[in-house]
């Protein structure tokens, strides 16, 4: 069951949610046990459905991050830490920017938890790509490159923990 569910038009507002969940314990490539005590991204996958494309982020840790989403016409973003302005690398007609708080793409020991490429081209009707933009001091940002998009919906699910983004065409 979704923790929150808000459908937004292209000029939509921000959606947010938090939820307590179980601590992720897994094995790193070296075989050592790794933990994620707050929240960490594990992977992302996308698929198309009748009328919309869906992007799912699997999340581990003791809680789901707070999520904010908004449309950008330019794809510009500021890199956490450096303050540099960059542009999402996969071209789109518009961009859905996801900002998450209390999240990381690494385990507590610093090893990488997010197994998806940082720039992932996707060939779906509305969703054209996903890019990890920044992971800095508990803030993780993603940029979604969009083609024809009429609205979007961002919500969370548990058992297992996920952030779901539906992009309608």
């Amino acid at each position: 069951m979704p923790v929150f569910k808000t459908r937004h038009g292209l000029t939509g507002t921000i959606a947010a949610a938090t939820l307590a969940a179980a601590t992720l314990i897994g094995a790193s490539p070296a075989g050592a046990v790794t933990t994620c005590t707050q929240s960490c991204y594990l992977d992302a996958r996308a698929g198309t459905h009748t009328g919309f494309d869906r992007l799912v982020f699997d999340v581990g840790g003791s809680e789901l991050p707070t999520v904010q989403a908004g449309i950008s016409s330019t794809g510009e973003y500021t890199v956490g830490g450096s303050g540099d302005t960059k542009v999402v690398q996969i071209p789109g007609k518009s961009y859905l920017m996801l900002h998450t708080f209390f999240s990381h793409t690494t385990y507590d020991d610093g090893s990488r938890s997010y197994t998806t490429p940082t720039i992932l081209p996707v060939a779906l009707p509305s969703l054209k790509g996903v890019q990890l933009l920044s992971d800095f001091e508990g803030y993780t940002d993603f940029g979604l490159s969009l083609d024809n998009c009429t609205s979007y919906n961002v919500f969370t699910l548990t058992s297992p923990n996920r952030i779901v983004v539906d992009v309608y065409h």
Side-chain angles (χ1 to χ4, degrees), residues 51-92:
F52 67 98
D53 296 337
R54 175 167 283 175
L55 174 66
V56 177
F57 291 100
D58 291 316
V59 179
S62 62
E63 59 189 60
L64 281 166
T66 299
V67 181
Q68 294 181 336
I71 292 290
S72 166
S73 60
T74 65
E76 288 185 353
Y77 64 96
T78 302
V79 178
S82 71
D84 293 339
T85 300
K86 295 188 176 186
V87 177
V88 174
Q89 292 185 26
I90 299 170

Side-chain angles (χ1 to χ4, degrees), residues 67-142:
V67 181
Q68 294 181 336
I71 292 290
S72 166
S73 60
T74 65
E76 288 185 353
Y77 64 96
T78 302
V79 178
S82 71
D84 293 339
T85 300
K86 295 188 176 186
V87 177
V88 174
Q89 292 185 26
I90 299 170
K93 290 182 180 176
S94 63
Y95 303 87
L96 180 59
M97 309 307 254
L98 295 179
H99 308 287
T100 62
F101 308 93
F102 315 114
S103 60
H104 301 279
T105 57
T106 58
Y107 293 110
D108 295 346
D109 67 2
S111 63
R112 187 173 163 89
S113 63
Y114 186 63
T115 59
T116 303
T118 56
I119 299 173
L120 178 67
V122 181
L124 300 177
S126 292
L127 183 63
K128 297 304 174 188
V130 180
Q131 182 176 338
L132 171 62
L133 305 177
S134 181
D135 180 358
F136 182 72
E137 294 185 346
Y139 298 88
T140 307
D141 298 330
F142 291 90

Side-chain angles (χ1 to χ4, degrees), residues 12 16 18-19 22 24 40-41 45 49 51 66 88 92 101 112-113 116 132 137 139 145 153-154 157 163:
T18 61
L19 178 71
L24 172 75
C40 58
Y41 285 90
R45 61 190 181 283
H49 303 275
T66 299
V88 174
F101 308 93
R112 187 173 163 89
S113 63
T116 303
L132 171 62
E137 294 185 346
Y139 298 88
S145 301
N153 186 20
V154 179
L157 298 171
I163 296 171

